[in-house]
Amino acid sequence: MNLILLGPPGAGKGTQAKRLEEKFKIIQLSTGDMLRAAIASGSDVGLKAKSIIDSGGLVSDDIMVQMISERVDQDDCKNGFILDGFPRTVAQAEALDVMLAEKGLKIDHVIELKVDESILFDRIRTRIAETPEAERRSDDTEETLRTRLQVFKEQTAPIIPYYADRGALKSVDGMASITEVSGQIDAIVAA
Ligand code: ADP
């Protein structure tokens, strides 16, 4: 089973992806985590990505599509994967369709976590406060969050109608408790 989780920064994609990983023995592919690992390793991609991420912008579609394409080919994705943070632009969504078709794969469910913008600031503020400074993400600041939300609205939100038009989109109430959101997601994947 292959899934896409959609939603703004702080919507809870990572939390739900981790749970789905356990429950269905499929792999979470978080492009944010993959980019942070690339930065930590000092690779070319990491070097290019660091300043873009810290400013709240988006890494180029080409790099991201390539990164995901190589990752889904690996053995541990055989059972399925959860895309978290990808696609983030309509161009990435289009490239994903082509790439998966070439590999003979498809997405089974596109799940949108709907959350009001007003609570996202509170959630990220809490995440910042609860994370020891040494472990804090360099893009988890209020200023960067403002940019990330703006970028989400301008570049990522248009992929919601992209999937809705294809009849692939299911929405859940991301404001509900973690357990309730999990329940709503389980009902979608069981259907
Ligand atoms: P969040 O969901 O909290 O916004 P992520 O951990 O998913 O954060 O991503 C952090 C940053 O990594 C993004 O702000 C962006 O700069 C970069 N990034 C992650 N995924 C993509 C992608 N698919 N395309 C372009 N940039 C990406």
Side-chain angles (χ1 to χ4, degrees), residues 86-124:
F86 181 93
R88 235 180 176 91
T89 62
V90 171
Q92 290 180 14
E94 289 169 347
L96 176 67
D97 282 344
V98 174
M99 178 221 301
L100 292 178
E102 281 170 3
K103 297 180 194 295
L105 298 172
K106 68 174 176 58
I107 297 293
D108 298 288
H109 304 283
V110 180
I111 301 169
E112 176 199 10
L113 275 67
K114 280 174 100 76
V115 178
D116 285 353
E117 193 177 325
S118 57
I119 77 153
L120 295 174
F121 274 96
D122 293 338
R123 284 191 181 182
I124 305 257

Side-chain angles (χ1 to χ4, degrees), residues 7-11 13-14 30-36 39 49-61 63-65 67-68 84-89 92 124 127 137 139-140 144-145 148-149 151-152 156:
K13 301 185 295 291
S30 157
T31 42
D33 287 350
M34 289 159 75
L35 287 167
R36 284 185 283 276
I39 292 170
K50 168 97 177 106
S51 59
I52 300 172
I53 292 177
D54 285 350
S55 71
L58 294 183
V59 176
S60 84
D61 291 335
I63 291 180
M64 299 315 302
V65 171
M67 194 179 259
I68 285 292
D84 161 10
F86 181 93
R88 235 180 176 91
T89 62
Q92 290 180 14
I124 305 257
R127 179 158 96 190
R137 281 168 47 171
D139 63 342
D140 256 354
T144 310
L145 177 61
R148 281 155 61 202
L149 284 175
V151 168
F152 176 82
T156 308

